[in-house]
Amino acid sequence: MRPTVHDIADTAGVSLATVDRVLNDRPGVRGVTRAKVEAAIAALGYVRDVAAANLAKSRVYPLVFILPEGDNPFMRGLEAEVRRAGLHSASERTRLSVVTVPAFDAGALAQAIDGAIAENVSGIAVVAVDAPEVSTAVGRAHAAGIPLVTLVSDLAGSGRDHFVGVDNIAAGRTAGSLMGRFLGGRPGPVAVLAGSMRVRDHRERLEGFCAAMAEMPVARAILPVLEGQDDPARSRVLMSECLAAVPDLAGVYSLGAGNQGLVAALADGERDDICVIAHELTAHTRAALEAGTIDAVLNQDAGHEVRSAIRVLRAKADGLPVIAAQERIRLDIFIKDNLPAGPDEDDGN
Amino acid sequence: MRPTVHDIADTAGVSLATVDRVLNDRPGVRGVTRAKVEAAIAALGYVRDVAAANLAKSRVYPLVFILPEGDNPFMRGLEAEVRRAGLHSASERTRLSVVTVPAFDAGALAQAIDGAIAENVSGIAVVAVDAPEVSTAVGRAHAAGIPLVTLVSDLAGSGRDHFVGVDNIAAGRTAGSLMGRFLGGRPGPVAVLAGSMRVRDHRERLEGFCAAMAEMPVARAILPVLEGQDDPARSRVLMSECLAAVPDLAGVYSLGAGNQGLVAALADGERDDICVIAHELTAHTRAALEAGTIDAVLNQDAGHEVRSAIRVLRAKADGLPVIAAQERIRLDIFIKDNLPAGPDEDDGN
DNA sequence: GAATTTCTGATGTACGTAAATCAGAAATTT
DNA sequence: AAATTTCTGATTTACGTACATCAGAAATTC
């Protein structure tokens, strides 16, 4: 049997109350006594039974997810996963809520973070816009002792406790490498469709993509980035213009959420010979992958990210260590042949 | 606050003991009374607090993993992950143990399953050899009420409760599709190196591979399967013979654990122009991927599989539902550019 | 209608920890 | 040395569930 607080009290020769004071860092214990208790804890290899502790505390963990507004399918998928996790959250003493803010709006984001701090939640997960206002708001959360993780897009040099998301430079490299291989010796430049260079994940993907393309045996031009603000209409216009202007376009790397507009533009232009690599498996990209319009989709699993964020925030709130291997978010590569069953086709067993 | 057993007792107008009898399916409750209690449970939306229940039961779950012996790196990786999970298992009231049996030996496997049944464990995870003896042993576990999941390789038409592993037909299809794209118009046949056609995962991968290759625009011969029994020396000999016999070999699909032998044979033959797609990210395949000998590695994450098996077995033991979406094991595609940090390079945060 | 069986209620203990209270011991100050 | 402050011990209650016991009520059988 694993040791309990009673065992510690016995071997340390102190009372239960003293052990409790040491364990929970409460005042009222002399240095020598504290040392004795800590020695006993170490000797017995005691680890607190978190389940019992939470039961006794009857503590609940209100966690807030701050996500961008709009019809970005990936973000809406994230939101859906948060809600889905919320269904099971009761049994884990967690209460989840979602706050949405205008996309790419640093001020609104900082305000939302401050709001969560004011509500004294026990954890915050935020899709970060990489801006100073946001960094200082994150600093305030840290100062208030509230664990905060960045989700999907990271924030440089801030006090965030953890980043939940894929390595976006590696994602870009992967896209570049696949693009190069798929194109082989075929000539023609490559276009890049992004949301905004104001979010770190988009910048990093572009960086990786360019690096990998540069290493390819066949040199290939990369056209100036098209920033569609993750808006379908805008992305469609930009892409259509590009197709018209560059008749020998060989490939498109869509590193943001402009896929709906991209697919529409490709259909308009009747260009099904272009090698397309996109991010995030959504209804649109899935259909385009099956139809052959898109050749590969790089994906981060929203469900996994949400569950990871919850685990990390809870661990941080409890002062427990995070199991790094379990929390690493993998980059999925999907082609037509390894598409998973859709969310509506779950076998439910 | 979420409802407790006391709330149910109050609203149903019965005593705590009766509620307990209904909840835990104990005898001694009249039909009408039971209905009243169940109505109250439904009305209040009661869900049992698993943490408190486990605390009260102070139950431990002894789980057994039955894995093949030998120096198969993937299997040793699985074993390592089980041991790693064992470190954290105390806090989850789980006790893990590993039993190894000779690879591809159905009789020994069946015997190991019967041994676990005799020990009255609360769950069994087994890397299945697809044979009748094994199926009947699985049937005996089912009859004994012991949850059993197949791991990595499934078992047809048996009473296993769940399969923890990737969709191997899709894995084969993916390999075939990537092989076709990477080779492009280059001529030459493709070789397949397997472990044994007696395990279902290898058969399924081959099936998917052949199907995907057949759908490619360029027809390509697939040579007869080389069965290396997942043994390095044997795989090396088979592969060397093949390289000598087929000078225009364009690609190799290694769907088993013969990668060490494969890489050695390629080095012997000084053939670095062959497109190689292999399974499972190990030290060998990682090095070969970085060196450019192997072009893509399809991987199933051993750590994820082990944790999934544990979650599923515990859920089954408790009679709880399994969250299908969370337990789907994904097929990772690794190329040089999206290799994750190695196990020794964990950032540990 | 009495005897039996079956059901139900009341009550208590346990799991391992948190947290509070109060009394007494030890150290410190006056 | 007395008064005060600081530390420690003993004890109790609580969290939500599991499980056991015993007595009494209700239903069933004879």
Side-chain angles (χ1 to χ4, degrees):
Chain A
M1 263 344 241
R2 44 193 290 225
T4 74
V5 280
H6 297 88
D7 300 323
I8 298 175
D10 290 349
T11 66
V14 301
S15 81
L16 248 178
T18 305
V19 174
D20 181 65
R21 288 180 188 117
V22 172
L23 279 176
N24 295 291
D25 231 22
R26 281 186 252 276
V29 183
R30 225 179 341 158
V32 255
T33 318
R34 163 161 275 131
K36 264 200 302 186
V37 174
E38 278 165 353
I41 290 173
L44 293 175
Y46 169 83
V47 276
R48 180 196 247 109
D49 184 324
V50 190
N54 283 337
L55 178 60
K57 277 195 286 214
S58 69
R59 167 174 184 178
V60 289
Y61 299 78
L63 305 181
V64 177
F65 280 75
I66 305 176
L67 311 176
E69 285 174 11
D71 50 7
N72 179 331
F74 176 72
M75 292 303 166
R76 298 288 71 75
L78 258 188
E79 188 172 352
E81 287 294 343
V82 176
R83 301 203 186 286
R84 181 176 304 187
L87 301 180
H88 303 277
S89 69
S91 55
E92 281 126 27
R93 300 174 195 291
T94 306
R95 201 177 56 229
L96 304 178
S97 56
V98 176
V99 171
T100 57
V101 296
F104 309 121
D105 183 339
L109 186 51
Q111 218 173 320
I113 293 174
D114 285 330
I117 297 172
E119 282 181 34
N120 195 31
V121 298
S122 26
I124 304 173
V126 56
V127 177
V129 178
D130 200 2
E133 304 105 285
V134 180
S135 284
T136 57
V138 169
R140 286 191 288 276
H142 190 73
I146 299 178
L148 184 148
V149 300
T150 48
L151 192 63
V152 180
S153 189
D154 201 6
L155 195 51
S158 66
R160 96 276 193 288
D161 291 276
H162 187 85
F163 167 58
V164 178
V166 299
D167 177 342
N168 283 301
I169 295 181
R173 287 192 59 85
T174 304
S177 194
L178 285 178
M179 176 75 77
R181 292 210 178 218
F182 285 0
L183 286 177
R186 180 178 158 192
V190 168
V192 176
L193 176 64
S196 163
M197 287 296 109
R198 297 190 58 196
V199 286
R200 193 178 176 84
D201 54 343
H202 289 199
R203 281 208 312 277
E204 290 181 340
R205 287 173 187 176
L206 178 62
E207 180 189 335
F209 182 76
C210 293
M213 289 296 280
E215 290 169 18
M216 282 287 140
V218 182
R220 192 178 299 278
I222 298 178
L223 303 176
V225 176
L226 309 170
E227 290 188 63
Q229 303 298 324
D230 288 353
D231 178 70
R234 191 155 175 177
S235 303
R236 183 177 188 167
V237 169
L238 286 173
M239 202 62 233
S240 291
E241 289 171 0
C242 177
L243 286 172
V246 189
D248 65 335
L249 191 71
V252 178
Y253 176 37
S254 169
L255 56 75
N259 295 313
Q260 193 182 357
L262 165 65
V263 171
L266 289 169
D268 291 346
E270 293 179 4
R271 297 289 295 273
D272 57 357
D273 56 325
I274 294 177
C275 176
V276 179
I277 296 183
H279 272 268
E280 318 315 352
L281 190 65
T282 63
H284 292 123
T285 54
R286 174 187 284 272
L289 204 49
E290 282 169 344
T293 315
I294 293 182
D295 296 87
V297 169
L298 306 186
N299 185 66
Q300 46 189 328
D301 190 89
H304 187 188
E305 292 185 321
V306 168
R307 290 187 290 270
S308 176
I310 294 171
R311 275 196 303 270
V312 170
L313 286 176
R314 289 207 36 164
K316 296 283 181 193
D318 282 335
L320 296 176
V322 171
I323 305 170
Q326 187 171 355
E327 307 309 342
R328 179 179 302 136
I329 308 296
R330 285 175 297 166
L331 177 69
D332 296 322
I333 304 176
F334 290 121
I335 59 177
K336 202 175 177 176
D337 301 279
N338 71 334
L339 271 175
D344 302 332
E345 308 163 43
D346 271 359
D347 47 7
N349 60 344
Chain B
M1 265 340 246
R2 45 191 290 224
T4 74
V5 282
H6 297 87
D7 300 323
I8 299 176
D10 290 349
T11 67
V14 300
S15 82
L16 250 178
T18 305
V19 174
D20 180 67
R21 287 178 189 120
V22 173
L23 279 177
N24 294 292
D25 231 22
R26 281 186 252 276
V29 183
R30 226 180 340 158
V32 257
T33 317
R34 163 161 274 129
K36 264 200 303 188
V37 174
E38 278 165 353
I41 291 174
L44 293 175
Y46 169 83
V47 276
R48 179 197 249 108
D49 183 326
V50 191
N54 283 337
L55 179 60
K57 276 195 285 213
S58 69
R59 168 175 184 178
V60 290
Y61 299 79
L63 305 182
V64 177
F65 281 75
I66 305 176
L67 310 176
E69 285 174 10
D71 51 6
N72 179 331
F74 176 72
M75 293 303 167
R76 298 288 71 76
L78 257 189
E79 189 172 352
E81 287 295 344
V82 176
R83 302 204 185 286
R84 182 176 302 187
L87 301 180
H88 303 277
S89 69
S91 56
E92 281 127 25
R93 300 174 194 290
T94 306
R95 201 177 54 228
L96 304 179
S97 55
V98 176
V99 171
T100 57
V101 295
F104 310 121
D105 183 339
L109 185 51
Q111 218 173 320
I113 294 174
D114 285 330
I117 298 172
E119 281 181 34
N120 195 31
V121 298
S122 28
I124 304 173
V126 55
V127 177
V129 178
D130 200 1
E133 303 104 287
V134 180
S135 285
T136 58
V138 169
R140 286 192 287 277
H142 191 72
I146 299 178
L148 184 148
V149 301
T150 48
L151 193 63
V152 179
S153 188
D154 201 6
L155 194 53
S158 66
R160 97 277 194 283
D161 292 277
H162 187 84
F163 168 57
V164 177
V166 299
D167 177 342
N168 283 300
I169 295 181
R173 288 192 59 84
T174 304
S177 194
L178 286 178
M179 176 75 76
R181 292 209 179 219
F182 285 0
L183 286 179
R186 178 178 158 192
V190 169
V192 175
L193 177 63
S196 162
M197 287 296 109
R198 296 190 59 196
V199 286
R200 194 179 175 83
D201 54 343
H202 289 197
R203 281 209 311 278
E204 290 180 340
R205 287 173 186 176
L206 178 63
E207 180 189 334
F209 182 76
C210 292
M213 289 297 280
E215 288 169 19
M216 282 287 139
V218 181
R220 192 177 300 276
I222 298 179
L223 302 176
V225 177
L226 308 171
E227 289 189 64
Q229 303 299 324
D230 287 353
D231 178 70
R234 191 154 176 177
S235 303
R236 182 176 189 168
V237 171
L238 286 173
M239 203 61 232
S240 290
E241 289 171 1
C242 176
L243 286 172
V246 188
D248 66 335
L249 191 71
V252 177
Y253 176 37
S254 169
L255 55 74
N259 295 313
Q260 193 183 356
L262 165 65
V263 171
L266 288 170
D268 291 346
E270 293 178 5
R271 298 289 296 273
D272 58 357
D273 56 325
I274 294 177
C275 176
V276 179
I277 296 184
H279 272 268
E280 317 315 352
L281 190 66
T282 63
H284 293 123
T285 55
R286 174 187 283 272
L289 204 49
E290 282 169 345
T293 315
I294 293 182
D295 295 87
V297 168
L298 306 186
N299 185 66
Q300 46 189 328
D301 190 89
H304 188 187
E305 292 185 321
V306 167
R307 291 187 289 270
S308 175
I310 294 171
R311 275 195 302 270
V312 169
L313 286 176
R314 288 206 37 163
K316 297 284 181 192
D318 282 335
L320 296 175
V322 170
I323 305 169
Q326 185 170 355
E327 306 309 342
R328 179 178 303 137
I329 307 297
R330 284 174 297 166
L331 177 69
D332 296 322
I333 304 176
F334 290 120
I335 60 178
K336 203 174 177 175
D337 301 278
N338 71 334
L339 271 176
D344 302 332
E345 307 163 45
D346 272 358
D347 47 7
N349 61 344

